[in-house]
Amino acid sequence: MSDYELYYWPTIQGRGEFVRLVLEELGAPYRDVARLPASDGGGVPSIFTLRRHEHSAHPAFAPPMLKDGDLLIAQTANICLYLGKKHNFVPPGDGWALANQLQLSIADVTAEAHDTHHPLGSHLYYEEQKEAALVRGRSFAKGRMAQWLDYFENVIDYNGGDYLLGSICYVDLSLFQLVAGLEYAFPRAFVAHRAKVPRVVALHDAIASRPRVAAYLDSPRRIPFNEEGIFRHYPELDLE
Ligand SMILES: N[C@@H](CCC(=O)N[C@@H](CS)C(=O)NCC(=O)O)C(=O)O
């Protein structure tokens, strides 16, 4: 198996982390290209070289992007589904469509979490949109986040109580990441709701303790959460 190439911003978990986690759990060899030195073709320029490529029939608008041989694909949910299908890490039959449905829902809530600190747009710094962020963030912390967690709790419950779709598949890794991110960004809101979503919490813990994931989380390959990424801890946006 040749190495996959992941192209994603080198200093944040961001959306790239959903892909990294799948690659790590699969034990698939990959190069996190933008984190390599420029002398090895790495660094941020490696991303700019690929994205919005004018001379491609299938250009990618934004990272994460995954290269598998000559194939370059983008959109986080699409990349995760591609890897899941290729490595038999999807539910049988048409179950891949249900997995993708959940993955796209995780993408939705991830975007909502991002928009709590950037409600007006990514062209402005947080400090330039703090007033709107306070409204958006507190509304997310007060109710919206719980709605999403309850949704995933019900899905796990209906499908046997352990994983989103009965047996483990790639989407469970993304739910782990979502929960870790929400707990980091909104610790007070998360603690307030934690007891109501025991299956979600148990799934998070089960994924974190899988040998390959645990080794990854403990390694320098796992970039710590920070205030440049999607899940940012701004206490003023959390519950009081
Ligand atoms: N829907 C896309 C969103 C991709 C995206 O927004 N990527 C961000 C980083 S997480 C980016 O670099 N965007 C640059 C841009 O939109 O110009 C996905 O899920 O992959």
Side-chain angles (χ1 to χ4, degrees):
M1 190 167 28
S2 64
D3 285 11
Y4 290 109
E5 287 186 352
L6 171 66
Y7 292 81
Y8 193 69
W9 307 118
T11 55
I12 60 169
Q13 294 182 11
R15 288 180 174 87
E17 198 64 12
F18 296 105
V19 181
R20 290 191 186 108
L21 280 164
V22 178
L23 291 165
E24 292 283 346
E25 169 62 23
L26 292 171
Y30 71 101
R31 289 168 11 110
D32 205 338
V33 180
R35 294 179 71 187
L36 298 173
S39 52
D40 289 342
V44 168
S46 66
I47 297 174
F48 288 116
T49 308
L50 278 190
R51 80 169 183 170
R52 299 174 203 180
H53 200 287
E54 289 170 10
H55 307 291
S56 162
H58 307 288
F61 185 79
M65 300 174 281
L66 183 81
K67 216 162 174 244
D68 181 10
D70 290 337
L71 180 70
L72 174 72
I73 56 170
Q75 292 289 353
T76 310
N78 186 46
I79 298 171
C80 290
L81 176 61
Y82 174 80
L83 289 170
K85 279 190 143 193
K86 191 161 170 179
H87 293 265
N88 281 326
F89 203 28
V90 285
D94 291 336
W96 65 266
L98 300 171
N100 194 39
Q101 174 178 316
L102 289 163
Q103 187 72 35
L104 289 166
S105 298
I106 291 171
D108 285 348
V109 62
T110 299
E112 287 186 24
H114 169 270
D115 290 352
T116 61
H117 51 78
H118 277 76
L120 302 184
S122 298
H123 60 295
L124 298 173
Y125 289 110
Y126 168 64
E127 290 70 23
E128 295 174 294
Q129 49 191 313
K130 202 164 168 183
E131 215 173 304
L134 287 176
V135 177
R136 189 76 184 256
R138 284 182 188 156
S139 138
F140 186 80
K142 268 189 190 149
R144 184 66 173 169
M145 183 176 104
Q147 282 180 355
W148 276 114
L149 292 173
D150 291 348
Y151 168 75
F152 292 117
E153 178 76 13
N154 285 338
V155 174
I156 299 170
D157 191 18
Y158 269 90
N159 286 294
D162 292 327
Y163 298 106
L164 283 163
L165 290 165
S167 304
I168 186 168
C169 74
Y170 72 93
V171 189
D172 295 299
L173 300 166
S174 291
L175 185 59
F176 156 80
Q177 175 64 10
L178 175 67
V179 170
L182 293 176
E183 188 173 15
Y184 172 79
F186 299 96
R188 289 194 288 264
F190 191 85
V191 165
H193 199 65
R194 196 175 195 280
K196 298 201 174 102
V197 288
R199 290 170 189 80
V200 167
V201 172
L203 182 148
H204 166 277
D205 296 351
I207 296 295
S209 63
R210 291 181 71 80
R212 282 180 177 152
V213 174
Y216 168 64
L217 296 177
D218 205 28
S219 79
R221 298 193 301 287
R222 171 78 165 181
I223 300 165
F225 283 111
N226 61 48
E227 279 53 67
E228 305 285 313
I230 291 179
F231 300 107
R232 302 187 188 187
H233 180 46
Y234 294 129
E236 62 275 20
L237 304 187
D238 197 356
L239 290 187
E240 289 177 35

